[in-house]
Amino acid sequence: MAQSRRMLVLRAVVEDYIRSQEPVGSTSLTRDHDLGVSSATIRNDMAGLEDEGYLIQPHTSAGRVPTEKGYRYFVDRLATVVPLSEAQRRGINSFLSGSVSLKDALQRAARLLSEITGQVAVVASPSLAKATLRHVEMVPVAMTTLLAVVITDTGQVAQHGLAVSAMPAVDDINRISSTVNEQCSGLSLSSAAEKVRSIAEEAGFSTVHEVACALADAFASMALDERANELYMSGASHLAHSRSLSDLAPLFDALEEQVVLMKLMSNLSEETNATGVGVAIGSESHTPGLLHASVVSSGYGHSNAVADHAQDGESSSSSTDAGEPVAFVGSIGPTHMDYLATMSAVKAVARYLTAFISENGIQDRPAADQHHSH
């Protein structure tokens, strides 16, 4: 019993410190929380929590503040992330539904998330490595060059030059395009590459063998493109208000290191708990500039979960496991951030981006299909 009450005391300290950012003493805990024991007992519990490494006492103060271990215990006990209020969800929806393109949606999502949390928001655009093929067009652009225009399930358009020794007839190019679109739509780019190689060997396609092989190579190289194309960031100015200047220089350096940040957030968004949100506190990020910061991240755009959480956005967390995320959305703030609010906001924005991608995917599909049905 003492242990579980002690952990209730820890939780109360974390909640109070997140709210006030002042060291928490036993008197205020007794006053503000119904812990059902005397302040002397709470003092003992706090001393025990300090011995166990969950709390620390700043020199000048009678109160205590949580350590990384204290925050970690607190975050791990947040079994469910409270959905945002109806008004907040409507706000997100109306803000993002005005997006004219995927890029616009991602920029808006970063801006919105930083507004909601008052922290730095980071949104990555999907990496081609995780995309599936929706449609490909091949257009002759020079005597010995075709341009392959590849549209993926996330609505991204990638272009790739295909060099050939001699240009085949237009009808032959259209025929291989149609076949590739019929047989490869919905495949990952690496599977599409293999499929196109086998199509290239079929008897009827000898005149476009070289084109097919070049297209397969293009798919294969896109499939290896692990880096998400871009990172959209918003809200760095919020940090300047919440941190002492000595913390800020290494933090801004860390935010500049996009590759490091991507790796960290991408890993985090894949190592989530039951809530579908990953959290790294302080040194857990293994990034020197983020020593006094926490990072909250969630994946979005699960490529094979099409309409299931477009409906309302707050169905069970299991819908988020329907496929691999194609990219992530995250928030970076001080270790004393409001974890519950941040996790809820990150999760909600991730859900809306997933819905945005899948809805746009569905709407564009018939047009792409008419394009190559003969």
Side-chain angles (χ1 to χ4, degrees):
M1 175 59 207
Q3 184 60 24
S4 59
R5 186 196 61 236
R6 183 176 284 182
M7 289 316 182
L8 286 177
V9 170
L10 172 61
R11 190 171 167 168
V13 173
V14 174
E15 285 171 354
D16 284 8
Y17 185 65
I18 284 172
R19 197 170 49 243
S20 70
Q21 285 156 50
E22 297 287 335
V24 180
S26 55
T27 319
S28 66
L29 283 182
T30 316
R31 185 185 64 232
D32 300 339
H33 296 267
D34 186 13
L35 293 163
V37 290
S38 69
S39 75
T41 307
I42 290 176
R43 263 198 303 280
N44 285 339
D45 284 342
M46 289 174 83
L49 288 164
E50 191 176 354
D51 292 342
E52 290 166 23
Y54 292 103
L55 298 177
I56 191 168
Q57 189 162 18
H59 306 301
T60 52
S61 157
R64 288 180 176 82
V65 301
T67 60
E68 269 181 28
K69 184 178 173 184
Y71 287 123
R72 172 46 66 196
Y73 180 87
F74 175 77
V75 167
D76 287 346
R77 295 303 175 284
L78 294 173
T80 55
V81 171
V82 181
L84 295 182
S85 72
E86 190 54 47
Q88 284 172 310
R89 277 163 49 195
R90 271 203 307 274
I92 291 178
N93 212 1
S94 62
F95 188 73
L96 292 183
S97 61
S99 310
V100 293
S101 64
L102 178 63
K103 179 175 179 172
D104 185 30
L106 300 181
Q107 284 172 325
R108 284 170 179 245
R111 222 165 47 237
L112 179 68
L113 183 58
S114 74
E115 286 302 315
I116 297 174
T117 60
Q119 293 163 186
V120 175
V122 182
V123 180
S125 68
S127 72
L128 286 170
K130 292 180 176 167
T132 62
L133 178 68
R134 190 190 301 157
H135 187 74
V136 62
E137 263 324 301
M138 286 187 283
V139 188
V141 288
M143 295 293 287
T144 57
T145 311
L146 290 131
L147 184 66
V149 180
V150 178
I151 303 171
T152 69
D153 60 329
T154 52
Q156 280 171 300
V157 179
Q159 298 183 346
H160 217 286
L162 309 178
V164 289
S165 53
M167 188 61 68
V170 173
D171 284 352
D172 289 347
I173 294 171
N174 289 343
R175 204 160 47 84
I176 182 82
S177 292
S178 297
T179 306
V180 169
N181 282 316
E182 278 155 23
Q183 298 190 22
C184 299
S185 184
L187 296 181
S188 71
L189 290 171
S190 54
S191 305
E194 287 174 33
K195 188 80 183 157
V196 173
R197 283 192 216 290
S198 68
I199 293 171
E201 300 309 320
E202 290 173 18
F205 291 115
S206 56
T207 55
V208 285
H209 182 272
E210 194 183 12
V211 170
C213 291
L215 181 62
D217 290 346
F219 284 161
S221 76
M222 288 179 191
L224 294 173
D225 188 359
E226 260 302 344
R227 44 193 181 80
N229 305 2
E230 281 166 291
L231 210 49
Y232 300 99
M233 202 178 284
S234 182
S237 59
H238 293 307
L239 280 179
H241 303 305
S242 67
R243 311 298 313 221
S244 69
L245 285 172
S246 58
D247 288 349
L248 278 179
L251 186 53
F252 281 123
D253 287 348
L255 295 178
E256 286 292 299
E257 290 290 330
Q258 297 215 346
V259 177
V260 176
L261 213 51
M262 269 189 173
K263 215 171 177 50
L264 167 64
M265 291 201 145
S266 175
N267 291 345
L268 255 189
S269 61
E270 286 163 15
E271 293 166 13
T272 56
N273 57 9
T275 60
V277 182
V279 181
I281 300 167
S283 65
E284 294 173 353
S285 68
H286 305 298
T287 307
L290 299 177
L291 202 55
H292 302 290
S294 288
V295 181
V296 175
S297 183
S298 183
Y300 74 82
H302 309 273
S303 38
N304 52 6
V306 178
D308 60 353
H309 38 297
Q311 269 122 46
D312 124 20
E314 294 301 346
S315 54
S316 75
S317 63
S318 62
S319 67
T320 12
D321 307 329
E324 267 214 358
V326 294
F328 60 81
V329 47
S331 187
I332 302 170
T335 49
H336 58 69
M337 68 163 67
D338 184 337
Y339 288 95
L340 192 54
T342 303
M343 290 162 79
S344 301
V346 165
K347 176 129 187 183
V349 171
R351 272 211 167 103
Y352 279 96
L353 286 176
T354 298
F356 178 84
I357 284 178
S358 60
E359 283 163 16
N360 284 17
I362 296 164
Q363 285 157 8
D364 295 354
R365 226 168 245 140
D369 287 348
Q370 285 157 11
H371 221 78
H372 63 263
S373 55
H374 290 292

